[in-house]
Amino acid sequence: MVVSTVLALLALALGGVLWQRLARTQEELARRTLQQQTEQAAVRALAEQAQAASADMQARLGVLEMRVAEVSLQRSQLEELMLSVSRSRDDALLQDLEAALRLAVQQSQLTGSVQPMVSALQGAQQRIERAAQPRLNPVQRAIARDLERIRAATLADVPALVARLDELARSVDEWPLRSGPPTPAPRTPPPTPGAGAAKGQPAEAAPADPGPWWSTAQAWAAAVLRDGWARLQLALPDLVRIRRIEQPEAVLLTPQQSYFLRENARLLLLNARLAVLARQFDGARADLRTLQRHLERYFDTDAPLLQPVLRTLSELQRDLRSDALPRPDETLAALAAAAGGR
């Protein structure tokens, strides 16, 4: 019984101890639970703050990205604008150079001189050097090659040819025709009475005493007869002429036909002059060949006056070269390539 009491007391004491420990454990659990809940609330608050900060950062990041995008767009637009301004300036320069070259080509074709093209190419070269654009370097090299080729070209001297044609046109009225009288050969004029005495040659001694008047008249009549006989001897060969006539129509021209023949020759020379000014050298040579045939057929080619005319016609036909006027095609192609390769 004592043992049972002791056991009961021990069991009661053990139960009390267990109850205290359980109470303490519950309190500890309640405290830890409260502390955990407090910590969870703090963590939740921190998480909410972090989430709010993250949202704010994301918003700010979005704003920054928008601003960066705007700056990039503005930069690209500015670069494109600068590039377009540079290209428009270069394009304007290329168009100006091309227009100047084409105008110089037209002036050279009108004047028959290469000086307008040379001046235009030199001006274009100076402007390209001042522009200092790398993409215009091929144009500059093409200009240098065209300048060298154009300066080395040999062309006909159009002003000198025109002056010679004008000189021939002014002398048409002096050309002797086959139908006219032949050019007389130079002859010694008959001696006139008293000429020998004037030159210091011995003359017939005049009588110291003139004598009667009939002696003087007889001497004068003898001198007149001698002078007339000398003149008659000079004129007798011109009374009858013997010529070889191979083209009767050239000899039987009337004065009216002779007038129109000379005017036709003058028109041929004027047509050749206009053809030379227009640089149509083939047409000018054809007119000069036609004129030469007319000269050989209707004019007296054996006359000394026509010999320089025939030589001048031959020289003109030789000097009328149909050399093509050089063009700055390489420069124009380089300008087109530079304008198209923007």
Side-chain angles (χ1 to χ4, degrees):
M1 183 172 180
V2 175
V3 175
S4 300
T5 302
V6 172
L7 290 173
L9 290 173
L10 288 173
L12 184 61
L14 183 58
V17 172
L18 290 175
W19 177 260
Q20 289 179 356
R21 287 185 177 179
L22 180 61
R24 289 177 181 175
T25 302
Q26 288 178 353
E27 290 176 0
E28 184 68 22
L29 289 175
R31 185 179 62 79
R32 289 186 178 182
T33 301
L34 181 60
Q35 184 179 0
Q36 187 176 7
Q37 289 177 354
T38 304
E39 291 177 356
Q40 288 179 356
V43 170
R44 190 179 295 112
L46 290 175
E48 290 177 356
Q49 292 177 1
Q51 188 175 4
S54 176
D56 189 14
M57 292 295 294
Q58 289 180 355
R60 292 183 180 181
L61 183 60
V63 173
L64 289 176
E65 289 179 352
M66 291 179 59
R67 290 183 179 178
V68 169
E70 291 177 358
V71 171
S72 299
L73 180 60
Q74 291 177 359
R75 181 178 178 180
S76 62
Q77 290 177 353
L78 182 60
E79 290 178 353
E80 186 176 357
L81 180 61
M82 292 175 61
L83 186 59
S84 63
V85 170
S86 176
R87 286 176 177 174
S88 61
R89 183 184 61 186
D90 293 344
D91 291 342
L93 176 61
L94 292 175
Q95 292 175 3
D96 192 9
L97 293 179
E98 184 177 2
L101 279 179
R102 294 191 182 278
L103 180 60
V105 169
Q106 294 177 1
Q107 292 177 353
S108 297
Q109 290 176 350
L110 291 176
T111 59
S113 173
V114 298
Q115 189 58 38
M117 283 191 293
V118 171
S119 301
L121 288 172
Q122 289 177 347
Q125 194 172 24
Q126 294 175 0
R127 294 183 63 181
I128 290 176
E129 289 177 355
R130 287 195 301 267
Q133 290 293 334
R135 72 189 188 100
L136 299 182
N137 291 337
V139 180
Q140 192 171 4
R141 291 193 294 269
I143 289 175
R145 288 192 293 268
D146 280 338
L147 272 175
E148 183 179 359
R149 180 171 54 84
I150 290 175
R151 286 171 176 170
T154 56
L155 300 176
D157 190 358
V158 174
L161 294 175
V162 170
R164 293 162 72 183
L165 289 172
D166 291 340
E167 184 179 356
L168 287 179
R170 286 192 296 268
S171 65
V172 168
D173 295 331
E174 302 174 359
W175 296 352
L177 291 168
R178 291 183 184 272
S179 58
T183 304
R187 295 174 181 174
T188 305
T192 57
K199 294 182 181 180
Q201 296 176 357
E204 295 181 358
D209 186 8
W213 61 269
W214 57 83
S215 300
T216 305
Q218 184 178 5
W220 177 81
V224 169
L225 288 176
R226 285 196 303 270
D227 183 46
W229 176 249
R231 293 181 181 276
L232 181 61
Q233 287 179 341
L234 290 176
L236 282 177
D238 293 335
L239 293 178
V240 178
R241 299 190 187 98
I242 299 176
R243 287 191 295 173
R244 181 181 181 88
I245 300 176
E246 297 179 354
Q247 298 175 350
E249 69 276 6
V251 181
L252 299 178
L253 287 177
T254 63
Q256 185 178 8
Q257 291 174 340
S258 301
Y259 169 78
F260 286 112
L261 180 62
R262 294 183 186 277
E263 293 301 319
N264 188 20
R266 186 177 286 107
L267 287 177
L268 286 173
L269 288 171
L270 293 177
N271 288 336
R273 183 180 188 274
L274 293 176
V276 169
L277 290 175
R279 300 191 63 82
Q280 298 177 359
F281 295 144
D282 294 336
R285 281 199 301 271
D287 292 334
L288 293 180
R289 284 195 295 267
T290 303
L291 177 60
Q292 189 171 8
R293 288 196 297 268
H294 286 348
L295 284 175
E296 295 172 354
R297 184 173 184 180
Y298 295 105
F299 290 85
D300 188 5
T301 55
D302 296 331
L305 187 60
L306 273 186
Q307 297 301 319
V309 174
L310 294 174
R311 285 196 301 270
T312 303
L313 287 176
S314 301
E315 292 173 357
L316 285 173
Q317 295 182 37
R318 181 194 61 199
D319 295 338
L320 286 172
R321 300 187 303 270
S322 59
D323 295 339
L325 188 69
R327 291 173 50 89
D329 294 329
E330 191 170 354
T331 301
L332 293 174
L335 288 173
R342 41 177 100 167

